[in-house]
Amino acid sequence: MLQCGVPGCALPRQAASATGALGGGTSGYCSAAHEQLARRKRLLAPATPDVEAVHIGPGEDWSVHLLRRSHPRHAAVRALFAARWGKPAAESGGCLPRVQAVLHITTPPAVFERFRRHAAALGGGAAPAGGSSADDGQPFGGGGVGTGAGAGAGAGAGAGAGAASTRRNVEELFHGTSQLPGCFFGVRPGARPCEAAGCAVCAICRRSLTLARAGAPAVARGNGGWLRFGRGLYFSSCSGKSNDYSAGSEKVLRGQHGRRWRWRVMLLCKVAVGRPFETDAAADLDEAQFTAAGLKALGFDSVLGAAGADLNYPETVVYAEEAVLPRELIVYTLPAHDDEEDEE
């Protein structure tokens, strides 16, 4: 029997009639009081025991699901994050990062539908119509991780300017982002998405990534906001590279035994890459060509930067908001530096 839908309550769910809910069956909560509490906190009762909590938006058109470690998607994302870190431990405080939480994002139906249509137009094999995998009653696509062409590979060594590119499937790529200092969504138990306009991670949960924020200081804190391949949406198959762009989400907190940790967040997104222009140097194209229209005129849909002349790690850039579907929020920790102060 499923537990009450309020996180932390271990009591069993009651029949709908016992709580005053309509429709028969179970209400999702142990009592009418907890059902009302959930509504005030914008919580939805999880449909399966391997989901701990479900946060919903004010219009109930988007939601974020906190996955338990028993959920197959939690294990898949955790393994992908570790396998694609790609950087020596010395660069991250002497040890590899630890994934503390995985939250699945169900975007508004309009965001999902525009992505599905865009990916299908590029021949990208997007998910079927009718909403996200969660809306279809499936466990977030079965918990599997795509391994199509380019997944985790980036561009091959020595790709060169405009190297011959084949059309790719939708890929799962990482995106570093920022979080306001006062927002602890994903970091502290019970914290819900904030509604501040300047909190990038919560804004992405609500409406996906937007080109208007590309290069904004709050998003690119730590790299000066420079966009190597123009104003686009940047991703990497290397989670360690995306970590460099997650510095704006960092919070230093004390854990067990008083040890201090740097908490950060990162997104795992589905990206409709289409036919990428593969290069290892930004100078291979004019600035005006780093746009959706500019690339289309050349017969390409995205840019795939290979490790080489300008890059140490690969990155993928798309120039259409409909080419992106945020899927998971990854919360992870790194050892804190001695000179970093604790967050309040």
Side-chain angles (χ1 to χ4, degrees):
M1 179 178 293
L2 288 173
Q3 295 179 351
C4 175
V6 171
C9 180
L11 295 176
R13 299 183 181 187
Q14 297 295 307
S17 58
T19 64
L22 301 177
T26 59
S27 70
Y29 305 95
C30 67
S31 64
H34 267 193
E35 184 171 11
Q36 293 169 4
L37 176 64
R39 289 176 180 174
R40 290 196 301 271
K41 291 188 174 184
R42 294 180 188 164
L43 293 170
L44 189 67
T48 61
D50 50 14
V51 176
E52 183 173 341
V54 181
H55 299 273
I56 56 176
E60 300 187 11
D61 61 341
W62 60 270
S63 58
V64 183
H65 306 241
L66 175 59
L67 308 184
R68 297 184 188 276
R69 294 182 69 88
S70 58
H71 196 289
R73 187 61 183 165
H74 191 294
V77 171
R78 194 170 67 246
L80 189 69
F81 178 83
R84 294 192 189 173
W85 184 254
K87 287 190 172 186
E91 292 188 23
S92 54
C95 67
L96 294 178
R98 299 180 182 179
V99 173
Q100 301 291 347
V102 175
L103 298 94
H104 176 81
I105 302 167
T106 299
T107 58
V111 172
F112 176 83
E113 183 61 19
R114 74 179 187 184
F115 170 79
R116 186 191 69 81
R117 290 180 180 276
H118 181 78
L122 297 182
S132 71
S133 55
D135 295 333
D136 293 336
Q138 300 298 318
F140 313 134
V145 174
T147 55
S165 291
T166 57
R167 195 166 295 280
R168 296 169 179 267
N169 292 326
V170 171
E171 298 181 9
E172 290 192 300
L173 301 172
F174 299 98
H175 176 78
T177 189
S178 65
Q179 186 178 39
L180 288 179
C183 177
F184 288 85
F185 176 59
V187 175
R188 286 180 174 167
R192 59 165 291 100
C194 76
E195 298 181 16
C199 189
V201 68
C202 292
I204 290 170
C205 289
R206 293 195 298 270
R207 61 177 184 269
S208 187
L209 284 75
T210 61
L211 285 167
R213 290 187 60 86
V219 176
R221 197 169 85 192
N223 81 328
W226 181 57
L227 300 172
R228 187 186 307 274
F229 297 111
R231 184 171 290 277
L233 303 173
Y234 285 66
F235 304 87
S236 181
S237 57
C238 175
S239 55
K241 176 181 176 66
S242 294
N243 171 65
D244 295 342
Y245 296 86
S246 289
S249 71
E250 184 170 294
K251 294 172 175 62
V252 179
L253 303 171
R254 292 189 182 273
Q256 290 183 338
H257 311 298
R259 187 172 183 181
R260 298 157 68 245
W261 297 91
R262 293 180 289 150
W263 288 71
R264 293 187 176 190
V265 298
M266 182 186 302
L267 290 155
L268 180 62
C269 302
K270 290 186 179 294
V271 183
V273 176
R275 185 168 182 244
F277 178 88
E278 299 186 30
T279 179
D280 60 4
D284 288 335
L285 287 179
D286 294 332
E287 184 177 350
Q289 292 174 310
F290 289 129
T291 63
L295 285 174
K296 185 176 181 181
L298 299 174
F300 299 100
D301 306 300
S302 60
V303 170
L304 184 56
D310 287 349
L311 291 167
N312 293 322
Y313 301 94
E315 63 186 21
T316 298
V317 191
V318 295
Y319 301 87
E321 294 175 359
E322 56 268 29
V324 181
L325 187 70
R327 248 10 198 161
E328 272 85 28
L329 176 65
I330 304 169
V331 184
Y332 61 102
T333 53
L334 297 161
H337 301 305
D338 292 338
D339 59 349
E340 291 179 311
E341 296 182 359
D342 295 355
E343 298 285 339
E344 293 294 333

